[in-house]
Amino acid sequence: MDQSVLMAASDAFGLNCKWLTHIGGNVNDVYNYPAENSNPSRILRLTHKRWRNEDETAAELHFMNYLYANGVSVPKILTSQAGRWVEPATNGYHACMFVKAPGHTPVGEDWNSNMVVNWGRLIGQMHILTQSYTPLENLNRRDWKQESWMDLRQLPQKEKIVCHRATELLTWLNTLPMCSKNYGLVHCDLHARNFFVTDEGALTAFDFDDSCYHWFAYDIAVILYSVISKFNQQERKRESLDDYMSLFLSSFLKGYQEIHHFDDWWLEAMPRFLKYRRLVVYNYLHQRYDWKTADKEKKVKWLSLKAEIEADESILTI
């Protein structure tokens, strides 16, 4: 990141640029700022207008603030020196800041039924609250079809079999009901790297940058796909994927259904939603990376996804 961008963002939020530590980010650049005096640890996020403009970021933060105000465990949004959520920096970037979520990224011992039940409760809270959410006038998040990496029509036309699979799924998606009880503004990326968990199992969700209008069932499919991927990366599997996911779903749905009703058709549609998620990931690879410069690990993933999609392999059979 250009130093001038960091300095502009730091000045806007009253930070000392030298204390910023880069901690990651995919399409955004995310920095940690340590606690000082009476102020907690903070997260400064920088976004380029090529990805999201300032209005889109403001719409994301408005939704987060609505959830926060209604008791959902998401980070508190902090305002700039001028009292704004979003501040322009230089070179096309803009910045926003949050209180750092308590806890840590889940590790081995955190993956228990208590965490999974709380995971279900957390997404259930979001789904019930989004039904009464009213966005700011002229500041709205996109519908999934407006996201190029979610709209599978953006796939390379030369990949005929992949495009055929995509067309089948898009046709199917267009048949699904879109009432407020099953469709709305959702997180759309609440895998285990987008929340922190405390030692007591309490969760705090963050990174709402992918939030868009989609089916609640897809929001859950994103989570299931990430858990399946984590399971498949394990070297020593003590149980089958179906057994593992049966236990996971049992705990997850226990928490979810304490808050929000889980329609039967969502579970019946889940295999197709998982296939759609796989295509979205594949589409993202095409849009984000260049095959010629991609590293070996990414190419292996790329080819594996393509083979699975063309073979129309099931991701979960339970």
Side-chain angles (χ1 to χ4, degrees):
M1 178 63 67
D2 190 288
Q3 193 69 13
S4 64
V5 177
L6 292 178
M7 290 181 66
S10 297
D11 289 345
F13 285 93
L15 308 177
N16 185 335
C17 185
K18 295 180 181 179
W19 292 2
L20 289 171
T21 303
H22 187 261
I23 56 173
N26 193 0
V27 291
N28 300 302
D29 283 278
V30 183
Y31 292 81
N32 183 71
Y33 194 81
E36 54 163 346
N37 302 324
S38 59
N39 295 310
S41 297
R42 282 149 282 177
I43 297 295
L44 182 73
R45 192 185 75 187
L46 290 157
T47 304
H48 199 275
K49 63 183 179 181
R50 287 191 303 265
W51 173 243
R52 303 285 186 207
N53 61 39
E54 291 181 32
D55 285 349
E56 288 178 299
T57 297
E60 171 198 350
L61 300 185
H62 186 264
F63 181 53
M64 282 186 67
N65 189 61
Y66 165 78
L67 295 176
Y68 179 86
N70 283 278
V72 180
S73 184
V74 298
K76 182 180 180 180
I77 304 164
L78 299 175
T79 56
S80 67
Q81 300 276 72
R84 293 187 288 261
W85 282 343
V86 184
E87 284 286 352
T90 58
N91 296 349
Y93 284 91
H94 56 273
C96 57
M97 190 165 70
F98 314 89
V99 172
K100 186 177 182 181
H104 53 270
T105 300
V107 292
E109 56 267 28
D110 298 310
W111 283 82
N112 53 50
S113 61
N114 182 42
M115 187 194 83
V116 177
V117 169
N118 287 336
W119 200 349
R121 285 196 192 104
L122 183 59
I123 203 77
Q125 286 179 304
M126 295 182 192
H127 289 176
I128 202 163
L129 283 169
T130 193
Q131 295 174 52
S132 54
Y133 171 65
T134 302
L136 286 171
E137 187 176 359
N138 299 322
L139 287 179
N140 209 346
R141 295 293 291 182
R142 300 176 187 177
D143 186 81
W144 66 274
K145 291 182 180 179
Q146 296 172 304
E147 295 282 11
S148 60
W149 59 287
M150 284 192 185
D151 183 358
L152 303 181
R153 292 173 298 181
Q154 303 291 327
L155 284 161
Q157 293 302 305
K158 63 181 180 180
E159 298 197 24
K160 296 187 182 302
I161 300 177
V162 170
C163 288
H164 175 68
R165 303 291 183 217
T167 299
E168 288 180 328
L169 284 173
L170 289 175
T171 301
W172 169 73
L173 285 170
N174 286 328
T175 68
L176 300 181
M178 295 178 65
C179 64
S180 62
K181 292 182 179 180
N182 56 55
Y183 190 94
L185 184 57
V186 296
H187 186 286
C188 230
D189 201 26
L190 196 58
H191 52 70
R193 293 186 304 279
N194 279 341
F195 65 77
F196 276 178
V197 59
T198 66
D199 292 339
E200 296 72 35
L203 274 56
T204 301
F206 48 81
D207 195 2
F208 281 72
D209 184 57
D210 285 336
S211 59
C212 65
Y213 287 85
H214 220 309
W215 283 274
F216 299 163
Y218 175 69
D219 210 20
I220 294 171
V222 170
I223 294 170
L224 297 185
Y225 187 88
S226 71
V227 174
I228 292 167
S229 297
K230 177 181 180 297
F231 177 88
N232 288 334
Q233 289 167 8
Q234 295 177 8
E235 292 184 3
R236 297 180 180 178
K237 300 182 177 68
R238 298 179 181 178
E239 55 193 326
S240 70
L241 174 61
D242 284 355
D243 289 342
Y244 181 82
M245 291 307 297
S246 291
L247 290 172
F248 179 90
L249 271 170
S250 177
S251 296
F252 183 87
L253 293 181
K254 177 185 177 183
Y256 187 91
Q257 292 184 114
E258 288 178 10
I259 308 296
H260 189 256
H261 178 68
F262 188 93
D263 276 353
D264 289 343
W265 75 261
W266 296 1
L267 201 58
E268 294 167 3
M270 202 54 65
R272 284 179 170 174
F273 272 121
L274 288 169
K275 288 182 179 181
Y276 167 68
R277 178 62 179 177
R278 178 169 61 192
L279 271 161
V280 167
V281 172
Y282 186 67
N283 193 31
Y284 177 79
L285 286 175
H286 271 288
Q287 296 191 15
R288 180 70 175 163
Y289 302 101
D290 184 343
W291 172 263
K292 295 178 182 178
T293 58
D295 58 40
K296 183 178 179 181
E297 183 179 351
K298 198 163 270 76
K299 286 183 176 180
V300 169
K301 179 180 180 181
W302 205 316
L303 292 172
S304 176
L305 284 173
K306 182 180 180 180
E308 290 174 18
I309 292 165
E310 290 184 340
D312 200 25
E313 290 184 12
S314 296
I315 297 173
L316 193 61
T317 58
I318 60 170

